[in-house]
Amino acid sequence: QMDLCIEAFGTSKQKRALNSRRMNAVGNDILSTAVTKAAANIIDSKGITALIQDVAQDDMQNISVFLPPCHEDAEKPEDVYKFEDILSPAEYEALRVPAEVLVNITPEEIIKKTEEKSYCSFVLEELKFLPVDEKSRDHKARCLWYLDTLIKFSFLKVIKKKHPMGPECPHVISRKLMKNFTLLTYNNDSVQNLISASMKAKITAYVIALALHIKNFQIDLTVLQNDMKLQESRVMDIAKAMRLKVSKSKGPPELVPDQNHKLATLSLPLPEHKAPAGQRKRRKMK
């Protein structure tokens, strides 16, 4: 209605602005249609599987882009990767309800969940050591529930459902997972969310950062590596990019028998950042 009023009674300047805005809208529609058609043509010619592989190879190049914010000037380990950079206050509050099942879990239920493998090994082990103090117990339960959800989310590839983690996952957490840990891709005339190699690396980095907060800044990397079904070299690259000190350990035999474990410690001062293994330094031009 406003546009009609401008057409009938507007000044010359207002009419020029209206025409310009309409032309821009038409141009944007044409561009959007062209991009959509081009994307469809690429997918028709290459196939979604080949595209996922291409994205994966491109994403492997630079892990550091996908790490949580690192506060190098921190005076305490807990401030290097701040908890609020992993979970905002609103997201943390939303975890209260789903985490109640872990707050109230009994030793008998832990044994049953272990047999059923309902949770990842890291979480199942930490459930045996929930604090007695109500506030601390609730805090750890929320962290463990979210960590387990992150790991399960990392196993998805192309996400078609709006709430892939089920109705028990709070809406604010579902939105965070989709927004922060997926890439948009086009397939069969629709936009879908893809967990590429870079997004898997990003999820791994956030899992490590959260696990450090849970375990007083020293974690068994090998347990997380097996939980996330990753190669050791990949996890080591991420840990080193996060400036963690890595050492060898026997590890709990009931989790990964006959396997040398890698312990990762976050301590100050932080080690110097080194490029991940396999990335060659460029030669300087003489």
Side-chain angles (χ1 to χ4, degrees):
Q1 290 178 346
M2 182 62 72
D3 289 349
L4 292 175
C5 289
I6 291 174
E7 281 184 339
F9 308 108
T11 64
S12 297
K13 185 177 180 180
Q14 288 173 327
K15 290 178 180 179
R16 284 197 302 272
L18 174 61
N19 287 334
S20 177
R21 179 160 53 80
R22 285 176 170 172
M23 289 299 292
N24 285 337
V26 171
N28 288 337
D29 287 343
I30 292 171
L31 178 61
S32 177
T33 301
V35 169
T36 301
K37 187 175 181 181
N41 289 338
I42 292 171
I43 287 172
D44 287 342
S45 62
K46 293 196 71 172
I48 188 67
T49 302
L51 281 178
I52 291 173
Q53 291 172 350
D54 287 350
V55 171
Q57 290 173 357
D58 291 341
D59 290 341
M60 294 285 280
Q61 299 304 315
N62 192 359
I63 292 173
S64 61
V65 176
F66 306 102
L67 302 182
C70 179
H71 304 274
E72 297 186 19
D73 56 348
E75 297 181 357
K76 298 180 291 184
E78 55 264 39
D79 292 333
V80 176
Y81 295 105
K82 293 184 177 180
F83 188 79
E84 54 266 33
D85 289 334
I86 304 169
L87 280 167
S88 71
E91 292 158 356
Y92 181 77
E93 175 57 29
L95 292 171
R96 179 178 59 83
V97 174
E100 284 178 356
V101 66
L102 300 184
V103 171
N104 301 317
I105 199 166
T106 65
E108 293 75 21
E109 287 174 329
I110 294 175
I111 294 172
K112 184 179 178 182
K113 297 293 184 185
T114 302
E115 292 172 350
E116 297 171 347
K117 297 183 179 178
S118 302
Y119 300 105
C120 66
S121 296
F122 180 92
V123 170
L124 288 168
E125 187 67 13
E126 288 305 308
L127 286 175
K128 299 175 185 176
F129 307 103
L130 285 175
V132 176
D133 174 71
E134 185 177 338
K135 186 175 181 181
S136 300
R137 188 180 183 90
D138 174 64
H139 172 74
K140 187 170 183 178
R142 295 190 202 198
C143 293
L144 290 175
W145 192 93
Y146 181 60
L147 185 141
D148 188 74
T149 300
L150 269 179
I151 291 177
K152 287 173 180 171
F153 186 73
S154 74
F155 296 143
L156 306 179
K157 291 184 179 179
V158 178
I159 302 168
K160 300 177 182 178
K161 295 189 291 185
K162 191 174 182 180
H163 301 289
M165 303 314 294
E168 70 277 4
C169 184
H171 178 68
V172 66
I173 299 298
S174 290
R175 188 168 68 242
K176 177 188 182 74
L177 296 175
M178 299 294 278
K179 180 181 178 182
N180 292 2
F181 300 110
T182 69
L183 295 173
L184 289 178
T185 185
Y186 181 89
N187 190 32
N188 294 332
D189 297 325
S190 64
V191 174
Q192 296 174 345
N193 294 80
L194 168 72
I195 298 181
S196 64
S198 67
M199 291 297 103
K200 179 93 172 183
K202 184 175 182 180
I203 293 171
T204 305
Y206 277 78
V207 164
I208 290 174
L210 182 56
L212 287 166
H213 278 273
I214 294 171
K215 289 282 290 176
N216 198 26
F217 305 99
Q218 185 176 72
I219 58 172
D220 190 323
L221 271 182
T222 306
V223 173
L224 289 177
Q225 171 203 324
N226 284 279
D227 279 339
M228 300 195 73
K229 297 179 172 59
L230 292 170
Q231 292 182 346
E232 182 181 277
S233 59
R234 184 64 165 154
V235 176
M236 291 291 290
D237 282 347
I238 295 170
K240 288 176 180 177
M242 293 178 72
R243 317 280 285 278
L244 305 181
K245 295 175 182 176
V246 180
S247 58
K248 293 181 180 180
S249 171
K250 279 292 181 185
E254 69 273 14
L255 293 183
V256 192
D258 301 324
Q259 185 174 1
N260 289 325
H261 284 228
K262 296 291 193 304
L263 287 183
T265 305
L266 175 59
S267 59
L268 298 174
L270 294 174
E272 289 185 15
H273 178 70
K274 295 180 181 179
Q279 290 189 8
R280 296 179 179 177
K281 293 182 180 179
R282 293 181 180 178
R283 293 181 180 178
K284 292 182 180 180
M285 297 295 290
K286 294 181 179 179

